[in-house]
Amino acid sequence: MRRYWIQPQYLTDTEAQIEGDLFHHIVDVCRLQEGDKFELLPGNGKAFLVRLGPLSKKRAKATVLETRDIQPLRRPYIHLCLSVPRFQKLETILEKAVELGVHEVIPFVSDFSFVRTLGGPLTEKRGRWLKIIQSATEQSGRGEVMQLAEAATLKEVFERFNQQTNAAGLFPYEGEGDVGIKEALGAISSPSDLWIFVGSEGGFSHKEVEFFRSGGLKPVTLGPQVLRVETACLALVSVLKYHFDLMK
């Protein structure tokens, strides 16, 4: 079943207005025709099964046939805080994070990140990254769009983490860790949110490791192998989903 994201103002309980980029994608790219059925996702936790009506040159209407509820993400929410890697890798991580049910991705600049200053390409690329998230949402059938925070500094992201109530943090480190991932997760009890701080291709500097230590997060090892940033992100999210029973 094909799924497409739609702005809520174009959808009622009985009818959908298909126009603009959505019309182009459905009709010109996907080649759907009058009578074809698909689902529309307005981001309110529901999916609308519709049948496409007669097509004009730039718009169409679709009749709502039925509505179903989409199971929302369960707590604890996963916040993936990521030191900006090369953009191609970042785009892969964003797509897979949507599919794996990450609540939010928070990019930040650090000593060894691919981009070390805010603004510039981090601002220019944001529109593209939001489109990748939307496309992955359609493909995976999520009921809500994964949040993409504005890029910030490591200090700013950590300050936001410290302001959360009942949130737990993990600092995976490719160097010598104080504890293993199993032991670290065993020490976490019923959090409402989980924050993971992952380094880019260059990892974290010694100064940043001490910054995490001073903030109460011990380095956590994921094993003897050094993982690529995209591998580390996917492995961590998968482990967290299994450990906190988020696979249902």
Side-chain angles (χ1 to χ4, degrees), residues 150-204:
E150 297 282 353
T153 65
L154 172 58
K155 181 179 179 181
E156 289 170 336
V157 175
F158 203 77
E159 287 176 350
R160 183 183 160 197
F161 162 66
N162 281 330
Q163 292 169 2
Q164 307 299 303
T165 58
N166 196 29
L170 283 175
F171 167 44
Y173 181 50
E174 75 278 5
E176 184 176 351
D178 291 0
V179 294
I181 183 66
K182 184 175 182 179
E183 181 182 351
L185 291 176
I188 298 175
S189 178
S190 302
S192 59
D193 294 84
L194 292 162
W195 289 58
I196 320 169
F197 296 86
V198 181
S200 63
E201 291 96 333
F204 289 107

Side-chain angles (χ1 to χ4, degrees), residues 3 15 41 55 74 86 88 94 102 105-106 114 116 134 144 154 162 181 186 197 226:
R3 303 180 184 90
E15 188 177 77
L41 308 173
L55 307 178
R74 297 172 56 200
R86 293 183 182 276
Q88 185 176 4
L94 289 174
V102 171
V105 171
I106 309 171
F114 176 61
R116 301 179 190 179
Q134 178 178 315
E144 73 290 320
L154 172 58
N162 281 330
I181 183 66
F197 296 86
V226 176

Side-chain angles (χ1 to χ4, degrees), residues 87 115 117-126 129:
F87 292 152
V115 176
T117 57
L118 299 176
L122 290 178
T123 301
E124 296 164 2
K125 294 281 187 178
R126 182 173 173 82
W129 296 336

Side-chain angles (χ1 to χ4, degrees), residues 199-210:
S200 63
E201 291 96 333
F204 289 107
S205 67
H206 292 298
K207 180 181 69 176
E208 289 167 338
V209 173
E210 292 308 312

